[in-house]
Short mmCIF file of all heavy atoms in Angstrom, two decimals:
data_model
loop_
_atom_site.label_atom_id
_atom_site.label_comp_id
_atom_site.label_asym_id
_atom_site.label_seq_id
_atom_site.Cartn_x
_atom_site.Cartn_y
_atom_site.Cartn_z
N MET R 269 7.78 10.04 8.39
CA MET R 269 8.90 9.79 9.34
C MET R 269 9.51 11.15 9.70
O MET R 269 10.43 11.66 9.08
CB MET R 269 9.95 8.93 8.57
CG MET R 269 11.04 8.39 9.42
SD MET R 269 10.51 6.96 10.38
CE MET R 269 11.92 6.87 11.42
N THR R 270 8.88 11.80 10.77
CA THR R 270 9.42 13.09 11.12
C THR R 270 10.46 12.96 12.24
O THR R 270 11.14 13.97 12.59
CB THR R 270 8.32 14.03 11.69
OG1 THR R 270 7.90 13.58 13.01
CG2 THR R 270 7.09 14.12 10.80
N ALA R 271 10.63 11.76 12.75
CA ALA R 271 11.54 11.58 13.94
C ALA R 271 12.96 11.92 13.63
O ALA R 271 13.44 11.72 12.49
CB ALA R 271 11.43 10.14 14.40
N VAL R 273 16.01 10.66 14.37
CA VAL R 273 16.61 9.41 14.89
C VAL R 273 18.05 9.69 15.06
O VAL R 273 18.75 10.15 14.20
CB VAL R 273 16.39 8.26 13.90
CG1 VAL R 273 16.86 6.98 14.52
CG2 VAL R 273 14.94 8.18 13.49
N ALA R 274 18.61 9.33 16.28
CA ALA R 274 20.07 9.46 16.48
C ALA R 274 20.73 8.51 15.59
O ALA R 274 20.31 7.34 15.34
CB ALA R 274 20.31 9.17 17.98
N ASP R 275 21.90 8.99 15.07
CA ASP R 275 22.57 8.11 14.06
C ASP R 275 23.56 7.18 14.71
O ASP R 275 24.03 6.22 14.14
CB ASP R 275 23.35 9.03 13.10
CG ASP R 275 22.43 9.81 12.20
OD1 ASP R 275 21.45 9.11 11.74
OD2 ASP R 275 22.62 11.01 11.89
N THR R 300 23.26 3.42 14.45
CA THR R 300 21.89 2.88 14.72
C THR R 300 21.37 2.39 13.38
O THR R 300 21.89 2.79 12.29
CB THR R 300 20.99 3.99 15.19
OG1 THR R 300 21.03 5.13 14.27
CG2 THR R 300 21.37 4.55 16.59
N PRO R 301 20.31 1.50 13.41
CA PRO R 301 19.85 1.04 12.07
C PRO R 301 19.23 2.24 11.36
O PRO R 301 18.60 3.12 12.04
CB PRO R 301 18.73 0.05 12.46
CG PRO R 301 18.38 0.37 13.87
CD PRO R 301 19.63 0.98 14.56
N ASP R 302 19.29 2.33 10.04
CA ASP R 302 18.54 3.30 9.29
C ASP R 302 17.15 2.76 9.12
O ASP R 302 16.91 1.75 8.47
CB ASP R 302 19.23 3.54 7.97
CG ASP R 302 18.52 4.75 7.26
OD1 ASP R 302 17.28 4.73 7.09
OD2 ASP R 302 19.24 5.70 6.94
N ILE R 303 16.20 3.44 9.79
CA ILE R 303 14.88 2.88 9.92
C ILE R 303 14.16 2.82 8.59
O ILE R 303 13.62 1.75 8.18
CB ILE R 303 13.97 3.66 10.94
CG1 ILE R 303 14.67 3.51 12.38
CG2 ILE R 303 12.56 3.21 11.02
CD1 ILE R 303 13.98 4.29 13.45
N LEU R 304 14.24 3.95 7.85
CA LEU R 304 13.55 3.99 6.53
C LEU R 304 14.15 2.95 5.56
O LEU R 304 13.45 2.23 4.91
CB LEU R 304 13.62 5.37 5.95
CG LEU R 304 12.71 6.41 6.57
CD1 LEU R 304 13.08 7.79 6.06
CD2 LEU R 304 11.29 6.03 6.19
N GLY R 318 9.79 11.24 4.14
CA GLY R 318 10.76 11.48 5.18
C GLY R 318 11.04 12.96 5.38
O GLY R 318 10.48 13.80 4.68
N PHE R 319 11.88 13.30 6.36
CA PHE R 319 12.32 14.65 6.60
C PHE R 319 13.81 14.70 6.50
O PHE R 319 14.46 13.73 6.88
CB PHE R 319 11.87 15.12 7.92
CG PHE R 319 10.50 15.81 7.95
CD1 PHE R 319 9.37 15.00 7.75
CD2 PHE R 319 10.35 17.10 8.04
CE1 PHE R 319 8.12 15.61 7.71
CE2 PHE R 319 9.09 17.73 8.03
CZ PHE R 319 7.94 16.92 7.82
N ALA R 320 14.33 15.80 5.97
CA ALA R 320 15.80 15.89 5.89
C ALA R 320 16.22 17.24 6.41
O ALA R 320 15.71 18.29 5.95
CB ALA R 320 16.24 15.77 4.46
N MET R 321 17.10 17.21 7.35
CA MET R 321 17.57 18.46 7.91
C MET R 321 19.00 18.64 7.31
O MET R 321 19.85 17.87 7.46
CB MET R 321 17.71 18.35 9.44
CG MET R 321 16.89 19.32 10.12
SD MET R 321 17.13 19.23 11.83
CE MET R 321 16.31 17.70 12.18
N GLU R 322 19.12 19.80 6.67
CA GLU R 322 20.46 20.07 6.06
C GLU R 322 20.93 21.54 6.37
O GLU R 322 20.02 22.33 6.63
CB GLU R 322 20.38 19.88 4.53
CG GLU R 322 19.80 18.60 4.04
CD GLU R 322 20.72 17.38 4.25
OE1 GLU R 322 21.83 17.55 4.71
OE2 GLU R 322 20.22 16.25 4.15
N LYS R 333 18.98 11.39 -0.44
CA LYS R 333 18.37 10.63 0.74
C LYS R 333 17.09 9.99 0.33
O LYS R 333 16.80 8.83 0.65
CB LYS R 333 18.09 11.59 1.87
CG LYS R 333 19.27 11.73 2.82
CD LYS R 333 18.90 12.68 4.01
CE LYS R 333 20.26 13.15 4.59
NZ LYS R 333 20.06 14.14 5.61
N LYS R 337 16.63 5.95 0.44
CA LYS R 337 15.65 5.43 1.45
C LYS R 337 14.39 5.01 0.92
O LYS R 337 13.44 4.62 1.66
CB LYS R 337 15.45 6.48 2.61
CG LYS R 337 16.85 6.85 3.29
CD LYS R 337 16.63 7.86 4.45
CE LYS R 337 17.90 8.24 5.03
NZ LYS R 337 17.93 8.13 6.53
N ILE R 342 10.67 13.86 0.21
CA ILE R 342 11.32 14.20 1.41
C ILE R 342 11.14 15.68 1.66
O ILE R 342 11.10 16.46 0.75
CB ILE R 342 12.74 13.79 1.44
CG1 ILE R 342 13.38 13.69 2.82
CG2 ILE R 342 13.66 14.63 0.50
CD1 ILE R 342 14.62 12.85 3.01
N1 CTP U 1 16.09 8.27 9.57
C1 CTP U 1 15.88 6.95 9.77
N2 CTP U 1 16.75 6.15 10.48
C2 CTP U 1 17.86 6.77 10.98
C3 CTP U 1 18.11 8.18 10.75
C4 CTP U 1 17.20 8.86 10.08
O1 CTP U 1 14.86 6.40 9.36
N3 CTP U 1 18.75 6.07 11.68
C5 CTP U 1 15.05 9.03 8.90
C6 CTP U 1 14.61 10.32 9.51
O2 CTP U 1 13.46 10.11 10.26
C7 CTP U 1 14.27 11.15 8.28
C8 CTP U 1 15.23 10.75 7.22
O3 CTP U 1 15.72 9.42 7.61
O4 CTP U 1 13.00 11.04 7.82
C9 CTP U 1 16.38 11.60 7.02
O5 CTP U 1 17.01 11.87 8.27
P1 CTP U 1 18.50 12.46 8.34
O6 CTP U 1 18.95 12.41 9.76
O7 CTP U 1 18.51 13.81 7.57
O8 CTP U 1 19.19 11.42 7.44
P2 CTP U 1 20.51 10.65 7.59
O9 CTP U 1 20.36 9.46 6.68
O10 CTP U 1 20.77 10.30 9.07
O11 CTP U 1 21.56 11.61 7.01
P3 CTP U 1 22.77 12.42 7.50
O12 CTP U 1 23.91 11.68 7.05
O13 CTP U 1 22.62 13.73 6.82
O14 CTP U 1 22.67 12.49 9.03
#
Side-chain angles (χ1 to χ4, degrees):
M269 190 78 191
T270 75
V273 185
D275 290 319
T300 55
D302 189 304
I303 298 178
L304 283 169
F319 270 72
M321 241 183 286
E322 307 291 350
K333 271 182 200 173
K337 298 181 185 231
I342 196 159

